[in-house]
Amino acid sequence: MNKIHISTARKMLLAPEPLDITVLTASGELRTYRNAVGLKQGHYSGSRNIKLVGSPDNPGSGEIRKIRDCLILAVNGLEVFI
């Protein structure tokens, strides 16, 4: 599996193209968000908002989620390391 640094993942999330993001949730489960676009990032808090873009296989389209950068495990199938 290819790996990228967290700084590269942050740059990818600034782009307007939809991405697939795998994160670790507060309850300890892995969750993959398909067709997610990064919105606002909190530089000092280390968190960001993402929006789930509509697609036929994505029933939660239009929802906005808040994720922490340190809990991003993969972006577009590329493993993220710190």
Side-chain angles (χ1 to χ4, degrees), residues 11-56:
K11 289 177 187 173
M12 291 173 71
L13 287 167
L14 291 176
E17 294 87 23
L19 303 167
D20 294 341
I21 304 168
T22 303
V23 297
L24 184 65
T25 64
S27 61
E29 62 184 86
L30 293 177
R31 183 154 302 166
T32 300
Y33 297 113
R34 304 221 182 270
N35 293 328
V37 176
L39 296 177
K40 181 183 174 187
Q41 74 173 12
H43 180 72
Y44 295 108
S45 65
S47 63
R48 69 180 61 245
N49 291 335
I50 59 170
K51 182 175 184 178
L52 305 179
V53 180
S55 68

Side-chain angles (χ1 to χ4, degrees), residues 55-63:
S55 68
D57 62 337
N58 190 2
S61 63
E63 292 182 10

